Amino acid sequence: MGMCCSRHNPESGRPLVYHQGYKMHEVMEIGGHMNSAVGGGGGDPRYTADPNRPLGSLQVKRQGVDIIRTPTTPFHPNCTRSRIVVAIYNYQSREAEDVSFVKGDRMEIIDDSEPDWWRVRHLRTGDEGLIPWNFVAEEKSVESEDWFFGTVSRKEAEKLLLLDENPRGTFLVRDAEHNPHGYSLSVKDLEENRGYHVKHYKIKPLDKGGFYIATSQTFPTLPALVTAYTKNALGLCHVLARPCPKPKPQIWDLSPELRDQWEIDRNEILLIRRLGHGNFGEVWYGKWRNNTEVEVKTLRQGTMSTQAFLQEAAIMKKFRHDRLVALYAVCSKEEPVYIVQEYMKHGSLLEFLRNGEGKHLQFGDLIYIAAQVASGMAYLEVKQLIHRDLAARYVLIGDNNIAKICDFGLARGIEDDEYCPRQGSRFPVKWTSPEAIVY
């Protein structure tokens, strides 16, 4: 953790970590000009931040969203020593420009100037190419440990640990929510009267370095503490049996080739199964280049002008948050226009609750879904974007009840009475934001 290449937060004394979905240049821009981060150039006046609103409040709100993050400590640009990262997930290359690797592989950083894709040399194969930055961590750092989950919230930790496949003693370590220098240990336990549940322990720092849970047992490093409790419970509810499996982080581009362009050839998209239809057109399950799962929206002819669509899609492409569906690409040169986005296997929240596995969800699970939607909406609010149509049909559900908001921008350009209400016309009042109703 104390390498010369780490960036540090002067207030906390701990490495300043940028998380998946949060580009470094965007973090800087929030403290400066909000519209430069959103609209680019002169920006669209619809997305200009309120001049009477203190920018400090935006910054606090940005840091407070509860999303699963994969910590990766950026390297200092002036560092002269060899910079080695270790893979914490498997990755299969998608084109000639990127490099495949498996968990545990070591790579040397050649260029980390791009926010999403780093150029590396694979130390085992000698291959050079691009890799997704959030699939690796600095070698021998705490972020490279299987059990370290960074700033995952207490509730998120419980959700991950309580998955059926995790036995008693499954654990993870995360940043403490109220102590900038400490950590929390979360462990899955089983009791006859309570069933499976999660216990949380505070890991406190020592003034002269090191950590402890109980004052009678102190350890020089965080890995030393974890290793000790994997051998003996030492007062914990259970010996630490195995690290909790980590969800793979989000990749925001179909490939590094498409990181700067997102108009793609529609021949690369294979439509496999129709999932449904809605106000915008049909929705299909498909594959990009026959290997990457995607969801494809086909816009009805005449639904909206191509220019209006591209304007909104450009804005959608720039918004990145783990509770927003990733927009990968578009095919707009022919009708019907394709919107290619992240595939969520359980479909819309509406169908999930009415006809899917969601019919049997417990109250806590419903609260969990609602909290995720609120987290995504809080991010859109910081970006000064009004969804206009937040209905259950525009929330998609993936594995483990992960919820993400989609179509956050399309309603603005639809040429339809429901979305462009005129005097005497109908509109979906239950789902329309107060700002849009007044307008």
Side-chain angles (χ1 to χ4, degrees), residues 53 70 72 91 128 145 148 184 188 190 220 253 268 272 295 320 323 343-344 371 388 416:
R53 185 174 180 183
T70 302
T72 302
Y91 176 74
E128 289 190 11
E145 300 286 355
F148 186 71
S184 294
K188 184 174 184 178
L190 175 64
D253 306 299
E268 295 182 344
I272 298 173
E295 181 174 300
R320 297 186 172 191
R323 297 304 177 238
Y343 173 62
M344 303 288 283
R388 284 199 179 187
D416 186 299

Side-chain angles (χ1 to χ4, degrees), residues 8 95 103 135 265:
H8 285 79
E95 58 184 38
K103 187 174 181 293
F135 275 57
D265 187 338

Side-chain angles (χ1 to χ4, degrees), residues 186-210:
S186 302
V187 187
K188 184 174 184 178
D189 194 21
L190 175 64
E191 294 177 13
E192 187 175 344
N193 59 333
R194 294 182 62 186
Y196 283 110
H197 57 282
V198 176
K199 286 193 168 75
H200 304 275
Y201 301 90
K202 292 180 180 179
I203 301 177
K204 298 179 179 178
L206 292 163
D207 291 340
K208 296 182 179 180

Side-chain angles (χ1 to χ4, degrees), residues 263-264 266 306 330-337:
E263 176 76 42
I264 63 173
R266 68 179 56 226
T306 301
V330 298
C331 306
S332 65
K333 293 182 179 178
E334 303 172 31
E335 294 276 5
V337 170

Side-chain angles (χ1 to χ4, degrees), residues 275-303:
L275 301 174
H277 61 89
N279 287 313
F280 303 153
E282 294 183 338
V283 182
W284 289 76
Y285 165 75
K287 289 193 174 182
W288 173 73
R289 294 184 179 174
N290 213 29
N291 59 14
T292 302
E293 290 187 314
V294 293
E295 181 174 300
V296 182
K297 289 182 182 289
T298 62
L299 289 186
R300 290 197 320 263
Q301 200 159 357
T303 301

Side-chain angles (χ1 to χ4, degrees), residues 85-354:
V85 292
V86 60
I88 48 182
Y89 305 93
N90 298 337
Y91 176 74
Q92 181 62 46
S93 67
R94 300 179 177 185
E95 58 184 38
E97 196 178 358
D98 56 346
V99 174
S100 297
F101 52 82
V102 296
K103 187 174 181 293
D105 281 354
R106 299 169 67 245
M107 289 160 276
E108 181 182 6
I109 297 292
I110 298 172
D111 181 5
D112 65 349
S113 60
E114 283 201 46
D116 293 325
W117 298 89
W118 289 353
R119 184 165 294 280
V120 302
R121 181 173 64 86
H122 197 296
L123 294 181
R124 177 171 53 84
T125 65
D127 293 339
E128 289 190 11
L130 297 171
I131 62 168
W133 72 280
N134 49 2
F135 275 57
V136 298
E138 186 178 345
E139 187 178 40
K140 297 181 181 178
S141 68
V142 69
E143 288 91 356
S144 68
E145 300 286 355
D146 288 344
W147 39 259
F148 186 71
F149 278 58
T151 45
V152 163
S153 69
R154 179 187 178 105
K155 290 295 183 186
E156 195 72 57
E158 292 176 355
K159 193 73 183 174
L160 292 168
L161 289 167
L162 289 174
L163 294 176
D164 292 340
E165 57 266 30
N166 292 333
R168 185 185 183 194
T170 301
F171 72 99
L172 61 85
V173 175
R174 54 192 174 84
D175 289 331
E177 294 179 275
H178 305 296
N179 181 351
H181 303 286
Y183 299 93
S184 294
L185 170 67
S186 302
V187 187
K188 184 174 184 178
D189 194 21
L190 175 64
E191 294 177 13
E192 187 175 344
N193 59 333
R194 294 182 62 186
Y196 283 110
H197 57 282
V198 176
K199 286 193 168 75
H200 304 275
Y201 301 90
K202 292 180 180 179
I203 301 177
K204 298 179 179 178
L206 292 163
D207 291 340
K208 296 182 179 180
F211 300 93
Y212 69 94
I213 294 176
T215 52
S216 57
Q217 298 280 346
T218 63
F219 304 92
T221 64
L222 200 55
L225 180 148
V226 171
T227 300
Y229 283 103
T230 59
K231 297 176 180 177
N232 191 316
L234 298 172
L236 300 185
C237 62
H238 193 275
V239 67
L240 302 184
R242 73 172 197 187
C244 182
K246 280 184 184 178
K248 272 194 175 183
Q250 177 76 57
I251 298 179
W252 293 94
D253 306 299
L254 283 173
S255 72
E257 179 186 24
L258 298 173
R259 62 194 184 277
D260 295 321
Q261 65 173 67
W262 45 288
E263 176 76 42
I264 63 173
D265 187 338
R266 68 179 56 226
N267 293 326
E268 295 182 344
I269 299 294
L270 175 64
L271 301 180
I272 298 173
R273 183 176 73 255
R274 195 179 110 159
L275 301 174
H277 61 89
N279 287 313
F280 303 153
E282 294 183 338
V283 182
W284 289 76
Y285 165 75
K287 289 193 174 182
W288 173 73
R289 294 184 179 174
N290 213 29
N291 59 14
T292 302
E293 290 187 314
V294 293
E295 181 174 300
V296 182
K297 289 182 182 289
T298 62
L299 289 186
R300 290 197 320 263
Q301 200 159 357
T303 301
M304 63 194 303
S305 73
T306 301
Q307 183 180 1
F309 162 71
L310 291 177
Q311 181 183 4
E312 297 302 332
I315 295 163
M316 291 169 64
K317 179 75 171 169
K318 292 182 180 182
F319 285 6
R320 297 186 172 191
H321 186 278
D322 275 19
R323 297 304 177 238
L324 301 183
V325 171
L327 175 66
Y328 291 142
V330 298
C331 306
S332 65
K333 293 182 179 178
E334 303 172 31
E335 294 276 5
V337 170
Y338 285 2
I339 305 171
V340 184
Q341 64 183 33
E342 178 183 4
Y343 173 62
M344 303 288 283
K345 66 182 295 184
H346 293 296
S348 76
L349 176 59
L350 182 67
E351 285 299 311
F352 184 66
L353 295 177
R354 283 183 177 174

Side-chain angles (χ1 to χ4, degrees), residues 35-70:
N35 60 344
S36 65
V38 180
D44 188 320
R46 292 174 301 180
Y47 307 101
T48 303
D50 182 351
N52 299 317
R53 185 174 180 183
L55 286 170
S57 66
L58 298 179
Q59 207 162 7
V60 170
K61 206 162 198 175
R62 180 67 170 273
Q63 295 167 351
V65 289
D66 54 331
I67 60 175
I68 300 176
R69 307 158 192 142
T70 302

